[in-house]
Amino acid sequence: MCRPDHFAVHYSINVWMDPARPVDHDRALAQWKTLRATYERLGHRVHQLDPRPGLPDMVFAANGAFVVGDRALGARFRELVRADEAPAHRAWLGAAGVAVTEPVAVNEGEGDFAWAGGRILAGAGFRSDPAAHAELAAVFDVPVVPLELVDPRFYHLDTALAVLDRRTIAYYPPAFAPASQEVLATLFPEAIVATEADALVLGLNAVSDGRHVVLAAQARELADAVARAGFEPVPVDVSELLKSGGGVKCATLELHAPLTAEEIS
């Protein structure tokens, strides 16, 4: 995670961002601290990437890379205003012993890539280039499932889909092209389908450890659906981050463990 010390909306690179809507910095920091404390309370270790002046979106750590085990594909941001975030992530991961491949194609890390137990769901349409999918396959040697995003409100995969465990996702089907909807329905027949209202508070921008699902406090119907599916919803208010089109997942780069032999079998 990366503290929102410099978080602000100075420009607009997605439909959520409006520089005329000021960010309450103190509230954003308090919400971020609560999110971090929530992960720690659930038993997770949180590493911190130092924020850098002039990079107001660096709080959205999920966009900086995609990591499984000791390998990572670094990010290459489409928007120049975020370009300097990528080397900061590469440096941190390299110091942590992770071998980072620097990409050729544009990709925005876990913003568009989701680890789904031995396969990677890979979004494209607004930010990440479809050519990045071949780079993913080469780095991680697992199947990559391409998914086309079609609604600019859901400009990253992680705004429209959350992986809850190897067999379960939650998603908002209208965010995807018809062919991608068919792929997801086939792969995940018991998926949780989110309402538009919950999608629009970025309720799907969530983090699951396979039991607990940390999600936006405002996504109440989604939380109920998650509970009915056997998971434990953990609501957290990150509404200040929503002013930049971000949420729980955007603020969280997961360091995924590779599958064990037992999980593969």
Side-chain angles (χ1 to χ4, degrees), residues 68-83:
V68 180
D70 61 359
R71 288 179 285 176
L73 179 64
R76 180 178 295 275
F77 287 89
R78 182 167 297 281
E79 304 291 345
L80 292 179
V81 289
R82 298 196 66 184

Side-chain angles (χ1 to χ4, degrees), residues 168-247:
T168 314
I169 64 168
Y171 73 124
Y172 179 58
F176 297 90
S180 296
Q181 292 182 37
E182 292 179 11
V183 168
L184 289 170
T186 300
L187 289 176
F188 303 99
E190 298 183 7
I192 296 170
V193 176
T195 66
E196 182 179 33
D198 281 347
L200 287 175
V201 293
L202 294 192
L204 291 163
N205 196 246
V207 173
S208 173
D209 61 11
R211 176 186 173 191
H212 309 97
V213 179
V214 185
L215 76 172
Q218 294 76 14
R220 296 180 179 88
E221 289 184 67
L222 181 59
D224 290 342
V226 162
R228 288 194 299 272
F231 300 90
E232 182 180 334
V234 183
V236 179
D237 182 9
V238 288
S239 51
E240 282 303 304
L241 298 184
L242 188 62
K243 293 178 179 178
S244 198

Side-chain angles (χ1 to χ4, degrees), residues 1-4 32-33 35-41 43-51 58-62 67 69 88-89 91-98 110 248-257:
M1 300 180 72
C2 183
R3 277 173 57 103
W32 182 91
K33 287 180 176 179
L35 178 60
R36 174 174 179 156
T38 298
Y39 290 137
E40 292 173 332
R41 175 175 61 80
H44 302 293
R45 183 179 180 187
V46 178
H47 304 277
Q48 190 166 316
L49 178 68
D50 291 334
M58 200 167 172
V59 62
F60 301 124
V67 185
H89 281 268
W92 189 94
L93 289 167
V98 178
E110 281 198 317
V248 169
K249 176 59 194 166
C250 288
T252 314
L253 175 65
E254 295 177 75
L255 306 179
H256 298 286

Side-chain angles (χ1 to χ4, degrees), residues 98-145:
V98 178
V100 185
T101 298
E102 188 168 353
V104 175
V106 170
N107 86 75
E108 299 195 346
E110 281 198 317
D112 273 324
F113 305 148
W115 180 239
R119 64 166 68 98
I120 300 171
L121 308 181
F126 296 101
R127 295 291 186 84
S128 296
D129 193 313
H133 299 173
E135 295 182 80
L136 273 177
V139 171
F140 299 103
D141 192 27
V142 297
V144 175
V145 180

